[in-house]
Amino acid sequence: MKKLFVLFCFYACIHIVAQTQQDRIVNGVVETCDMAQSEKILLYNYTTVESRESMTALRSTSEPTRYEVLFPDYPENDDEISSMLQFKKWLHVSLGNIPNIARSLSGKTLSISFYRKADGTTICRRITLSRPCMKLLDIISTNEIKRMIDKINSYKFKASKVNGNYYLFAGVTLSFK
């Protein structure tokens, strides 16, 4: 009996691990389950099919870099710090203006990561709820997630004065009261 129970637990564990390595696409929204290695918890990340395709194209045509390369006067000049703070404020207001978002996400925190291209445009990499094992799709609809990602993708930072096909990886955390 114990061997059967151990075998069942082993099978269930393999099944869960296998599920965490696959994407699920619902109405154009991509849900990816990742295991946070440091804490051994499941996190559900969201993007859209379009954003994922844009990321693939960006990574194949551009090179990742550091702030110091695109903005040589960083950190001495705090323009970049203030531009990220402005983006965070704009994003919080913009997402809060989407019907149902502020109410549905009340008391929750989102982690938003994105690519920032040298020309100032953004591509949403993923949106993640800070609570482990909680699915954003259980709280809001795919249309609302798409609208959030469209808002992120619509933002335009100041372009870099450095020529070339470069991009930065950045992120912000938003708490909804």
Side-chain angles (χ1 to χ4, degrees):
M1 185 68 163
K2 286 182 183 179
K3 288 182 182 180
L4 184 59
F5 179 72
V6 170
L7 184 61
F8 173 75
C9 290
F10 178 73
Y11 172 75
C13 185
I14 288 174
H15 184 67
I16 290 171
V17 170
Q19 286 179 341
T20 64
Q21 296 174 354
Q22 293 184 8
D23 293 343
R24 178 175 82 137
I25 300 174
V26 179
N27 193 25
V29 172
V30 180
E31 177 186 74
T32 305
C33 181
D34 288 332
M35 173 75 78
Q37 294 300 322
S38 60
E39 299 153 3
K40 303 287 186 205
I41 56 174
L42 296 177
L43 294 173
Y44 291 91
N45 303 310
Y46 297 88
T47 192
T48 59
V49 171
E50 294 83 10
S51 277
R52 188 167 69 173
E53 290 169 356
S54 295
M55 286 186 282
T56 301
L58 176 68
R59 288 187 294 239
S60 68
T61 60
S62 301
E63 182 180 333
T65 193
R66 300 179 322 273
Y67 272 95
E68 299 82 29
V69 173
L70 286 184
F71 304 100
D73 56 353
Y74 174 81
E76 291 79 25
N77 182 344
D78 66 352
D79 286 349
E80 286 310 301
I81 295 169
S82 64
S83 74
M84 284 299 289
L85 290 173
Q86 287 173 345
F87 171 67
K88 185 175 178 174
K89 286 178 187 175
W90 174 87
L91 190 58
H92 199 276
V93 170
S94 295
L95 297 185
N97 286 336
I98 298 172
N100 194 38
I101 294 293
R103 183 178 46 78
S104 297
L105 296 179
S106 178
K108 296 171 183 58
T109 302
L110 291 179
S111 174
I112 300 170
S113 62
F114 58 94
Y115 294 111
R116 180 177 167 183
K117 295 167 49 174
D119 67 0
T121 58
T122 57
I123 300 171
C124 180
R125 181 172 177 250
R126 68 178 174 214
I127 298 175
T128 307
L129 271 172
S130 63
R131 290 187 183 166
C133 301
M134 184 177 265
K135 295 182 178 187
L136 193 57
L137 277 175
D138 290 344
I139 300 170
I140 60 175
S141 71
T142 56
N143 288 334
E144 291 163 334
I145 293 172
K146 285 180 189 177
R147 288 185 67 194
M148 291 170 65
I149 292 170
D150 287 345
K151 289 280 186 190
I152 296 164
N153 290 344
S154 73
Y155 194 81
K156 180 131 174 149
F157 286 93
K158 179 181 79 174
S160 170
K161 294 177 183 168
V162 175
N163 292 327
N165 292 329
Y166 297 107
Y167 66 91
L168 301 170
F169 175 75
V172 295
T173 302
L174 298 179
S175 296
F176 291 85
K177 296 180 180 182

